[in-house]
Amino acid sequence: MSERAKPIPQDTATGESTETEADESQSTDGAGQDSETEQQAENGDTAQAPPRTGATAVVDALETAGVEYAFGVQGGAIMPVYDALYHSDITHITMAHEQGASHAADAFGIVSGTPGVCLATSGPGATNLVTGIADASMDSDPMIALTGQVPTAFVGNDAFQETDTTGVTAPITKTNTFSSHADTVGRDVSEAFALANEGRPGPTLVDLPKDVTQAETDVEAIEPTTPDTYEVTERAEDDAVRAAADAIESASRPVMLYGGGVIKGDATEQAREFATEYEIPVVTTMPAVGAFPEDHELAMEMAGMHGTGYANMAITHTDCLIAVGCRFDDRLTGGIETFAPDAEVVHVDIDPAEISKNVHADYPLVGDAATVVEQLHEAIRAPPQTKKWRATCQQWKSEYPMDYRAPKDEPLKPQFVVEAFDEATEDDAIVTTGVGQHQMWAVQYWTFTEPRTWVSSHGLGTMGYGLPAAIGAKLAAPDQQVVSFEGDGSFLMTMQELSVAVRENLDITVAVLNNEHIGMVRQWQDAFFERRRMASEYHWCPDFAKLAEAFGAKGITVDDYDQVADAVTEALAYDGPAVLDFHVDPEANVYPMVPSGGDNGQFALEDDHL
């Protein structure tokens, strides 16, 4: 039930309404005319509107920006803003924990392409948002956080629930603001909203002292606008584009490397057209999954630590790497000295700070992804000759297929569960995940063909991200199926958000790949710490299906292969949240795997290869 659904309070003894006289004065007679208003009209009086406050300005700024949903948790210092939301058309989703609010807002921004909004009170409310803010920062996701703060006169005095929120979040926000006056607080929020999505997206924050949100103001809301000093380069320099185009034309083994910036920059269409017209194999980073259809013959899928063998081979042997919207993080590159060692690198990015930060760019192109790809497209005079190279890439696909053993006499394989869901859902179904082995199996064994259908925590690697993200994703795209893959350890971190999914009657499906371990840690301990499984094994795990039923969701337990298809069908058909507890092989590992800092071309396909 959303925050706007407010039941009439009743006397607990009599069951009769306990509305106050003020409440009763708002009821209407049979003619639909408030009696008090009639009397005022007869006397020539008009009812006074409540005074406009800083909190009103905050909410007006959100409404002017087109915000439909806000995710948060109430509290003392943020209470004036919530009071203003009472009269707003914005639907507030009360989350079980502020971290859940930040992840839901983050996912809403990923799926919708517009900033998600989260709110929390001062002190612990604000600090509980920090993990989600840092997550959005690492992944360049558009989000705005609004935090309550103690009155300005108390700031610095260690007041109750005081935290230096702007100081704490400065390293993990694109911008943050301590709002100091009721006349400027609306503009602060509008500006933060605009900055969250302009240029390279990211989280922004506005800290709202209680006296500022309670003070009166007559300043009206404005459209979201970035500061005059904020500039974004849209087009790359023509000479640089010409040089990069020449390099692409002369390449014999070119590879397109699409990063998350392709999706965030709405450049998917341009990226697909460029690759297909010039017949260049395409590799993606994990945040870019869905930027290029994985069922296309040019698709080499995801590269990096747990990328496909053929994607990593293509990266290792390319002579021209065209990277778009990619920050070259260590999970992609492995050891920098062995990453694409023979390649000239064309790097397109809207953030000049990313150019040559990790991998040297021979042809730096600063600008908007869609715009610069179009510039390159127009500049190419003769396409590269890729026939032989494409045949080599197809051969690698045959040599290093994404397959796995699934003997019937062994425990259920998690990969089989992912494939079963993929087969049973629509092409535009949205997948969210927590972090760990289940995340890797989900991205490896689901065939992604559309952008904004893969929602996960990449740079920060936040366990527990999947369920609250599914809530945000479903509200952003109510007509699309949403499946969240979680591990047992990851699910335990934020499973309280299941109460929100039930309350709001959200049709989401949670698949817990339950191996009774913190699986990725266990895999690394087995590989690199002589199987010393310290603090990675759960010797006891709750019954997740029963817990789901206790929350009011549908719960299903699955133990073997014969149960999978029916369970998946039943859960997807259920109108509301469903949780499936899949008891999977506790010894299953994620492969391919490149050891941290290793050579992408030397990936392991099984334990003995490490």
Side-chain angles (χ1 to χ4, degrees):
M1 182 170 64
S2 72
E3 287 297 301
R4 288 183 298 177
K6 303 175 178 69
I8 297 173
Q10 294 186 333
D11 186 284
T12 55
T14 67
E16 295 177 353
S17 171
T18 60
E19 288 179 310
T20 65
E21 292 181 7
D23 291 329
E24 290 171 352
S25 70
Q26 295 175 4
S27 63
T28 58
D29 58 24
Q33 176 66 47
D34 182 89
S35 58
E36 183 177 339
T37 305
E38 278 185 334
Q39 184 64 45
Q40 289 174 338
E42 290 175 6
N43 296 335
D45 296 330
T46 56
Q48 283 190 338
R52 179 177 171 77
T53 64
T56 311
V58 169
V59 173
D60 284 354
L62 296 177
E63 290 180 332
T64 303
V67 172
E68 296 181 76
Y69 291 97
F71 306 87
V73 179
Q74 254 279 30
I78 197 68
M79 199 174 293
V81 177
Y82 273 84
D83 189 54
L85 277 170
Y86 184 94
H87 302 284
S88 172
D89 289 333
I90 296 171
T91 300
H92 179 266
I93 306 297
T94 299
M95 302 297 289
H97 191 281
E98 291 89 352
Q99 181 181 341
S102 61
H103 290 328
D106 180 34
F108 186 94
I110 293 170
V111 174
S112 70
T114 60
V117 179
C118 58
L119 300 92
T121 196
S122 62
T127 57
N128 282 343
L129 290 177
V130 167
T131 297
I133 295 171
D135 196 294
S137 177
M138 289 287 280
D139 290 348
S140 301
D141 297 333
M143 186 176 80
I144 176 171
L146 303 177
T147 53
Q149 185 55 275
V150 300
T152 52
F154 294 171
V155 171
N157 292 338
D158 293 331
F160 176 67
Q161 292 192 331
E162 180 192 356
T163 297
D164 179 9
T165 302
T166 56
V168 168
T169 61
I172 55 172
T173 50
K174 189 174 177 181
T175 182
N176 66 16
T177 303
F178 180 91
S179 202
S180 58
H181 200 282
D183 286 346
T184 57
V185 66
R187 184 190 66 197
D188 292 340
V189 173
S190 294
E191 199 170 87
F193 190 92
L195 285 167
N197 213 30
E198 187 72 16
R200 179 179 183 172
T204 61
L205 180 144
V206 183
D207 204 26
L208 304 167
K210 195 169 183 178
D211 58 321
V212 171
T213 54
Q214 288 180 318
E216 294 186 16
T217 180
D218 58 3
V219 177
E220 298 293 328
I222 61 171
E223 294 288 335
T225 307
T226 57
D228 293 339
T229 54
Y230 185 78
E231 295 182 1
V232 176
T233 301
E234 295 288 332
R235 292 179 59 83
E237 296 181 359
D238 290 339
D239 289 347
V241 172
R242 176 71 266 149
D246 289 343
I248 296 169
E249 290 172 5
S250 60
S252 59
R253 304 188 306 279
V255 165
M256 306 299 302
L257 174 61
Y258 291 152
V262 172
I263 294 176
K264 298 179 194 307
D266 289 324
T268 302
E269 182 180 348
Q270 292 84 352
R272 292 182 179 193
E273 288 180 357
F274 188 93
T276 53
E277 178 166 342
Y278 299 123
E279 297 184 299
I280 301 175
V282 176
V283 170
T284 67
T285 66
M286 190 160 66
V289 165
F292 193 83
E294 294 183 334
D295 55 359
H296 195 284
E297 63 179 358
L298 290 172
M300 305 298 283
E301 302 171 54
M302 185 183 78
M305 179 174 284
H306 292 296
T308 66
Y310 37 93
N312 283 328
M313 290 296 284
I315 289 284
T316 301
H317 293 279
T318 181
D319 65 352
C320 183
L321 186 67
I322 306 111
V324 183
C326 171
R327 63 187 180 88
F328 292 109
D329 77 300
D330 59 295
R331 289 299 170 102
L332 167 69
T333 63
I336 294 292
E337 67 282 354
T338 59
F339 180 77
D342 301 326
E344 289 191 300
V345 176
V346 178
H347 191 180
V348 178
D349 206 286
I350 200 164
D351 186 355
E354 290 297 337
I355 303 293
S356 295
K357 184 179 79 174
N358 294 324
V359 171
H360 174 73
D362 300 286
Y363 303 95
L365 301 176
V366 177
D368 170 72
T371 302
V372 178
V373 170
E374 285 183 342
Q375 286 182 271
L376 279 172
H377 203 153
E378 294 171 359
I380 299 287
R381 293 170 294 200
Q385 300 303 305
T386 63
K387 184 176 181 179
K388 184 177 179 180
W389 170 237
R390 283 185 283 117
T392 300
C393 289
Q394 291 301 316
Q395 181 179 342
W396 284 326
K397 281 188 175 184
S398 299
E399 290 180 11
Y400 309 111
M402 290 299 297
D403 56 14
Y404 58 94
R405 293 180 62 255
K408 292 291 185 178
D409 59 347
E410 292 185 10
L412 177 63
K413 301 301 180 184
Q415 301 95 320
F416 183 88
V417 175
V418 174
E419 290 182 329
F421 268 102
D422 187 17
E423 184 177 346
T425 52
E426 303 293 334
D427 288 344
D428 66 349
I430 296 169
V431 175
T432 75
T433 76
V435 167
Q437 287 180 314
H438 67 276
Q439 176 191 32
M440 294 301 117
W441 288 317
V443 76
Q444 288 177 333
Y445 290 95
W446 193 285
T447 302
F448 292 91
T449 60
E450 299 296 331
R452 303 189 187 277
T453 56
W454 166 250
V455 182
S456 193
S457 171
H458 305 109
L460 197 64
T462 307
M463 290 177 66
Y465 180 88
L467 175 56
I471 291 170
K474 187 62 180 180
L475 290 168
D479 295 330
Q480 291 173 242
Q481 293 171 302
V482 176
V483 177
S484 178
F485 288 101
E486 281 281 16
D488 46 303
S490 188
F491 188 53
L492 282 170
M493 291 193 171
T494 58
M495 68 172 296
Q496 68 271 19
E497 303 303 339
L498 191 58
S499 64
V500 181
V502 172
R503 184 202 323 131
E504 300 295 336
N505 193 32
L506 298 177
D507 190 10
I508 61 176
T509 303
V510 181
V512 182
L513 303 184
N514 182 356
N515 58 14
E516 298 187 351
H517 286 82
I518 303 178
M520 191 61 81
V521 172
R522 191 273 305 154
Q523 180 172 337
W524 278 52
Q525 287 173 331
D526 287 356
F528 307 117
F529 292 87
E530 299 178 345
R531 298 182 64 83
R532 291 187 294 273
R533 296 181 176 182
M534 176 62 189
S536 62
E537 295 179 296
Y538 290 151
H539 299 294
W540 176 88
C541 227
D543 185 328
F544 291 119
K546 286 185 178 179
L547 277 172
E549 296 286 350
F551 274 104
K554 187 170 192 62
I556 303 172
T557 300
V558 181
D559 293 300
D560 57 50
Y561 290 99
D562 293 339
Q563 298 173 317
V564 171
D566 288 344
V568 169
T569 300
E570 182 181 357
L572 292 174
Y574 181 70
D575 185 14
V579 176
L580 296 94
D581 186 3
F582 290 98
H583 295 171
V584 300
D585 186 354
E587 299 298 319
N589 284 331
V590 178
Y591 288 107
M593 179 180 179
V594 178
S596 183
D599 183 342
N600 280 356
Q602 300 296 317
F603 49 87
L605 294 175
E606 55 187 60
D607 296 353
D608 293 342
H609 293 172
L610 290 171

